[in-house]
Amino acid sequence: MKRVLQLYRNAFGGLSRQTWMMSVVMLINRSGAMVIPFLGVYLTSELNYSLKQTGAILSIYGLGAVCGAFLGGWLTDKIGHFKIQFVSLVLGGSLYFLLLNLRQFEYMAAGVFILSLVNDMLRPANAASIAYYARPENITRAFSLNRMAINLGFSIGPAVGGLVAALSYKWLFIADGVTCIAAGIFFFVYFRAQQGHRPVKAKTTTDSPAVQSPYRDKWFILFVILCSLFAIIFFQLFATLPLYYKQVHSLSEARIGLLMALNGMIVFLLEMIVVYLLGEQAKKSVLVASGLLMLGFSFVLLNLFPQVGVLFVSMVLLSISEILAMPFMSTITVERSNIDNRGAYMGLYTISYAAAHVLSPYLGTSIIAAYSFDMLWWACGGLAIV
């Protein structure tokens, strides 16, 4: 036990106070993340949308995320990550109250687009902020700490959300909105007095691998495309897995929430340790590729063993794959950029995930409607290999 505790102390040691406070902001924000994990179930069971309409709404959410990531990255380099994060948190939280009252498909589509645009402005600004406050020697661990906070919140949000949804979906939207606004207030109170919330100009070193614009960096664009393919598979976690749990295994909202929360809890408990132990021992490319293959296998496993117990095994493998891949993808992006264009680089990296938010639910629900869940899981495994 002493060795385990010492391992955790080493893994968490040396991180700046601002890095910790940024993680607290994300913990507050994500602890109320109840709407998106249950949005597909809400649209089909509460509003009686068809599977095709539900897939369209989820894809529109992704389209808004693409626009938000681009806009957030551009604005971060222009006016600084402090203002972007504050506006995104407070305005995004307020929009959940609006979304609660939308029923018609067209209005819901517009509301979801605006909500995701505002919400995803936060991501590149937050990533640039973490890179700015972190010490150079532990930047991967700084990103992992932030992700740990997000996943701890995500383990709380869906678990509580599943119980709340069983009573009324109305409170899902209210809770999500309140926690977003609370995170924004906490962020403003702490970081308004901190140095560094405006972009600081610095000379680009001659050995920097980054070009002035990420959109002219061909190798980085290829990296972004591969990240997007990874995310298309991973986001089945939000787009189609809850539908699979509901329609194939007849799980209640409470049990779906617990399964989704398992992902967040595993990442919360293990990611910092894995990054600390493997970050300097293995190549980033090997870790990312291993995570991708494990991700594909986690979905194929659902076809090989259709028992309910395998759902837990699959979720564990999916969570480990996330730990192996995502932190090091972020580090690669930071290492490719410099302080003058970090917002743009993080924005383009975020766009890879936002684009997957568009394609993942559309492709997933289309394959299910045309073929079956089984075909979707085989496709995920094949794409992971590619």
Side-chain angles (χ1 to χ4, degrees):
M1 182 59 71
K2 289 183 179 179
R3 290 180 179 179
V4 172
L5 291 175
Q6 186 60 45
L7 183 60
Y8 271 91
R9 288 193 190 100
N10 294 339
F12 286 91
L15 297 171
S16 66
R17 182 178 178 84
Q18 292 94 335
T19 299
W20 282 96
M21 290 299 102
M22 191 65 65
S23 298
V24 172
V25 171
M26 299 310 293
L27 174 61
I28 297 171
N29 182 29
R30 292 296 175 172
S31 293
M34 302 180 186
V35 171
I36 300 306
F38 289 95
L39 185 58
V41 179
Y42 168 73
L43 295 174
T44 54
S45 62
E46 191 78 5
L47 300 186
N48 297 316
Y49 281 19
S50 67
L51 197 60
K52 185 176 181 180
Q53 287 177 313
T54 300
I57 292 292
L58 294 175
S59 292
I60 288 169
Y61 182 91
L63 183 61
V66 171
C67 298
F70 176 82
L71 183 61
W74 181 76
L75 288 174
T76 294
D77 288 333
K78 293 294 181 182
I79 64 176
H81 43 73
F82 175 82
K83 294 177 182 178
I84 301 305
Q85 289 177 90
F86 176 67
V87 170
S88 176
L89 287 167
V90 174
L91 181 58
S94 302
L95 288 172
Y96 280 106
F97 303 122
L98 173 65
L99 202 67
L100 171 61
N101 298 296
L102 302 181
R103 294 290 184 272
Q104 190 172 328
F105 176 81
E106 291 78 8
Y107 294 147
M108 178 63 72
V112 163
F113 176 82
I114 296 172
L115 173 70
S116 63
L117 184 145
V118 174
N119 280 348
D120 274 74
M121 285 172 56
L122 174 71
R123 295 178 185 274
N126 178 254
S129 207
I130 294 166
Y132 184 77
Y133 288 125
R135 298 185 176 97
E137 66 273 13
N138 56 29
I139 195 165
T140 302
R141 288 196 292 133
F143 274 104
S144 291
L145 180 67
N146 197 62
R147 281 176 37 77
M148 186 195 75
I150 290 172
N151 281 282
L152 176 59
F154 190 71
S155 68
I156 296 170
V160 176
L163 300 174
V164 173
L167 301 175
S168 172
Y169 278 97
K170 169 186 175 182
W171 293 104
L172 286 180
F173 292 87
I174 294 174
D176 216 332
V178 168
T179 50
C180 280
I181 295 171
I185 294 171
F186 178 86
F187 173 81
F188 179 82
V189 169
Y190 181 82
F191 282 95
R192 65 188 173 91
Q194 297 294 317
Q195 295 296 318
H197 57 252
R198 295 186 181 91
V200 178
K201 296 295 181 183
K203 294 181 180 180
T204 305
T205 57
T206 55
D207 60 345
S208 172
V211 295
Q212 186 63 31
S213 169
Y215 300 94
R216 295 197 297 268
D217 188 345
K218 296 179 181 179
W219 286 112
F220 186 71
I221 290 174
L222 175 61
F223 170 75
V224 164
I225 292 171
L226 294 174
C227 287
S228 190
L229 295 178
F230 166 86
I232 286 173
I233 306 170
F234 180 79
F235 285 151
Q236 299 305 321
L237 170 66
F238 309 108
T240 57
L241 260 183
L243 296 174
Y244 176 75
Y245 295 152
K246 185 76 172 178
Q247 296 181 12
V248 176
H249 290 279
S250 302
L251 298 187
S252 65
E253 282 83 357
R255 295 186 69 186
I256 292 173
L258 290 174
L259 260 177
M260 302 284 281
L262 178 63
N263 166 254
M265 185 55 65
I266 290 172
V267 176
F268 166 71
L269 291 173
L270 298 181
E271 181 168 312
M272 288 292 288
I273 299 299
V274 172
V275 169
Y276 174 71
L277 293 176
L278 299 181
E280 301 299 326
Q281 305 299 322
K283 292 183 178 180
K284 298 181 185 72
S285 57
V286 173
L287 294 170
V288 171
S290 300
L292 252 169
L293 293 174
M294 186 176 294
L295 176 64
F297 181 69
S298 72
F299 287 108
V300 170
L301 199 64
L302 298 174
N303 287 342
L304 299 178
F305 303 96
Q307 295 85 356
V308 174
V310 176
L311 301 181
F312 293 91
V313 178
S314 174
M315 186 61 76
V316 170
L317 292 177
L318 185 149
S319 303
I320 295 174
S321 75
E322 179 183 350
I323 293 171
L324 291 175
M326 287 189 179
F328 301 101
M329 289 177 175
S330 299
T331 304
I332 290 170
T333 303
V334 172
E335 291 174 347
R336 195 79 185 168
S337 66
N338 59 60
I339 201 167
D340 292 311
N341 58 18
R342 187 151 295 149
Y345 265 83
M346 297 310 301
L348 183 54
Y349 172 68
T350 305
I351 285 174
S352 71
Y353 284 83
H357 262 304
V358 179
L359 296 173
S360 184
Y362 175 77
L363 293 175
T365 54
S366 296
I367 291 173
I368 294 167
Y371 302 100
S372 64
F373 279 103
D374 288 355
M375 181 60 71
L376 175 60
W377 307 145
W378 289 123
C380 287
L383 183 59
I385 293 173
V386 172

